[in-house]
Amino acid sequence: MQNHYNNNGVSRRKFIGTLTGAAALSLLKLDRRAIAGSLPLDGLLTDYTGRICYNENPLGPSAAAITAIQEEAAMSHRYPDWYADSLVSDLASFFDIDSDKIVCGSGATEILRLSAMAFAESGGNVVSSYPSYSQFPNDAEFFGSDVRYADLDDDYLVDLTALYNLVDGDTTCVCITNPNNPTGTLLNPEDLSAFVDSLPSGVVTLIDEAYVEIIRTTSFTPDSIWEDDYLSAVEMVKDGKNVVVVRTFSKGYGLAGARIGYAIGRESRINSIKANRIFATVSRASLEAAKAALEDQDHIRNTAVLARQTRQYCYNEFDDMGLDYIPSAVNFFMVDVGNADSVRSQLSSRGIYVRSGWGMPGHLRVSTGTMHEMESFINALRDILGYPGGRPKKADWKLPENTELFQAYPNPFNSSTSIKVFLPATQKVSLEIYNVRGRLVTKLADRVLGAGEHAFVWNGIDSSGKSVSSGSYFYRLVAGEDVITRRMILIK
Ligand SMILES: Cc1ncc(COP(=O)(O)O)c(C=O)c1O
């Protein structure tokens, strides 16, 4: 078996071996207050800078999604698809799966609630991990089910063997968050698949993949870059397994405020989720945003790259300070700072919001923000912990920090040339072409664009549709406060 993991891999042989020698595990008696991390709310609703506590996407939504929302706004007097059918159909093509195996809702939050209504039974039990995302087990308990928790293993990874040992004849569902929140750890897909196969046939495995898009391009070791090959649990659904995968547009796609989630699973299971839904919970604008975002996988790539770079920057700083951290696959990580509650409140008084809790008194959970936010976080942490030493070193950048207007390519050009722009944040942008007399020739862009790289092609045509003559032309980018002009030459 190929092992992508440098610290958490559990081989299939080891996993199956431990199952047969199963020792009974005591159930954790959990204080409900310790399940979720404490929420630092002061100031957060008005000031988003330093809000590195909700695992949001610092790049914002894809520009295509923003445009889609703007274009759909005028139709807001009409109800949306009752059940998000157009998005279901786009997701079906995207995943190459039957649309009967998909259900959409208002965020993963609605989907998890509907799943708890479908899979939790009074008198039965559901099995979950701790610490992990708590909504499903909490909802299951609310609907009358007993909840059994298995601790994470010594590497803070969901412990499949411990979960298996909690399953009995009354178990209706096992809930696994992968990548796990709050630890950011990731299971080996083959181990997860073997686990699902080992369960009694009536037990459904609910796999919350809220962060799965961000693990693309994640590298656990410097020489293993993980491009698009992480095997999502959607593959298990395609293989006919008794699995429901919960996904969201909130994280990788940067659409947390638009509230769109979905589940992909065996048809009978999806029908049970549908049985409890109410209609029209996803707005027209959100539906269009999600469909456009799905098309813009470059935005996901930029998101994943930024998460990896900011994470690595922090890890280097932690190494320098001698702090232990849990290697994460996603856009948040945990670092052991000694007294997490105290450090969290000191950070919060400096306008940096992180989280603590989950019964882990030493660990902060920190979302990866912009590079600027991570530098502020590290500076403040050094100060609070008394490591005034070395100023943070810059991470090994691939994404520029500032607005960039790149040289047109090719230049000089004959029939067409491509002009690339990089934006550090989502903003209103105009890109115009002028002739040497300063007269406007045409506009290539005049709209809101998302953070990341954008390419525009100019084929030597002016705004009235006529071919322009050979010569020098200027292209001018206005993005927020930044105005950048460059020159290119058209040769016919
Ligand atoms: C693991 C996990 N699942 C689900 C959610 C909820 O996502 P949504 O915004 O789609 O409701 C979150 C939000 O933080 C999460 O971390």
Side-chain angles (χ1 to χ4, degrees), residues 54-55 106-110 112 133 135 177 179-181 208-211 246-251 256 259-261 332 365:
Y54 291 137
N55 305 340
S106 175
T109 300
E110 185 186 10
L112 288 169
Y133 197 64
Q135 190 200 328
T177 304
N180 189 44
N181 179 8
D208 181 342
E209 288 192 342
Y211 298 93
V246 177
R247 295 275 197 110
T248 177
F249 281 88
S250 293
K251 309 297 182 180
R259 315 301 305 127
I260 316 132
F332 56 86
R365 193 198 72 184

Side-chain angles (χ1 to χ4, degrees), residues 79-94 97-105 260-262 270 274 277-284 286-288 290-291 294:
Y79 283 105
D81 286 354
W82 282 172
Y83 295 119
D85 290 340
S86 61
L87 177 58
V88 167
S89 146
D90 282 14
L91 287 166
S93 319
F94 184 80
I97 203 165
D98 190 354
S99 57
D100 292 338
K101 296 190 166 75
I102 304 175
V103 58
C104 289
I260 316 132
Y262 57 101
I270 293 296
K274 286 178 178 174
R277 67 186 165 169
I278 49 178
F279 73 93
T281 61
V282 187
S283 75
R284 294 185 78 101
S286 296
L287 284 178
E288 293 311 311
K291 288 191 273 181
L294 208 51

Side-chain angles (χ1 to χ4, degrees), residues 419 430-435 439-445 457-466 468 473-476 488:
I419 299 170
S430 90
L431 180 62
E432 297 171 332
I433 294 176
Y434 291 86
N435 64 21
R439 196 162 292 152
L440 180 67
V441 174
T442 191
K443 280 188 181 193
L444 295 185
V457 173
W458 188 47
N459 48 10
I461 306 284
D462 71 12
S463 51
S464 64
K466 290 199 199 100
V468 299
Y473 290 86
F474 294 96
Y475 50 107
R476 181 169 177 264
M488 62 191 163

